[in-house]
Amino acid sequence: MGVNLSLICPFVMPLACLFCSVERRRPEFIPEELHRQYIQLMQDTLLTDIQKNLEDFRQKRSMGLTLAESELTKLDMERLRDRVGMERERSCAEQILSKIEEVL
């Protein structure tokens, strides 16, 4: 038997105002620095709630209260394989960069 996980999405006033101001503008006309500020504000606003939800999920998973445990296990294994693949890519890239530096 699994436990449903709920995500509470708090719309803090600055974030709501941000969405209103973005909707009124065409995205291509918003300066890049303003985009960064919007993204940073959204991250800062939602980070604590996301961390609480992740911790709640981890606790429920460790107690065996999550649904689709086999799929979650497959995803965990894929993440480990991806990490190994990225390490190999990084190693190869470092070797290539060192050879380029030798030539230059």
Side-chain angles (χ1 to χ4, degrees):
M1 183 169 152
V3 174
N4 290 333
L5 300 174
S6 63
L7 176 64
I8 299 168
C9 185
F11 280 98
V12 180
M13 192 59 178
L15 192 57
C17 292
L18 168 72
F19 287 130
C20 292
S21 67
V22 170
E23 287 177 3
R24 285 189 229 127
R25 297 175 158 187
R26 291 180 54 187
E28 59 269 17
F29 295 132
I30 299 174
E32 187 175 336
E33 184 57 36
L34 194 54
H35 274 282
R36 286 192 184 115
Q37 290 175 0
Y38 287 161
I39 291 169
Q40 188 63 49
L41 176 62
M42 289 185 341
Q43 287 175 342
D44 293 345
T45 303
L46 299 174
L47 182 62
T48 56
D49 288 322
I50 291 171
Q51 287 174 334
K52 281 192 280 187
N53 282 303
L54 283 172
E55 184 57 34
D56 182 53
F57 174 77
R58 289 182 186 117
Q59 288 175 352
K60 288 176 181 175
R61 186 171 182 199
S62 70
M63 294 185 289
L65 299 174
T66 55
L67 299 174
E69 186 60 38
S70 61
E71 286 83 359
L72 291 170
T73 303
K74 287 178 188 176
L75 286 172
D76 288 341
M77 289 188 308
E78 286 178 16
R79 189 173 350 129
L80 289 174
R81 276 192 302 233
D82 289 345
R83 191 178 310 158
V84 170
M86 286 190 321
E87 282 297 317
R88 276 194 236 124
E89 287 179 26
R90 184 187 59 77
S91 175
C92 289
E94 287 175 349
Q95 291 175 1
I96 291 169
L97 286 174
S98 67
K99 289 180 182 179
I100 290 172
E101 288 174 357
E102 288 174 8
V103 170
L104 297 176

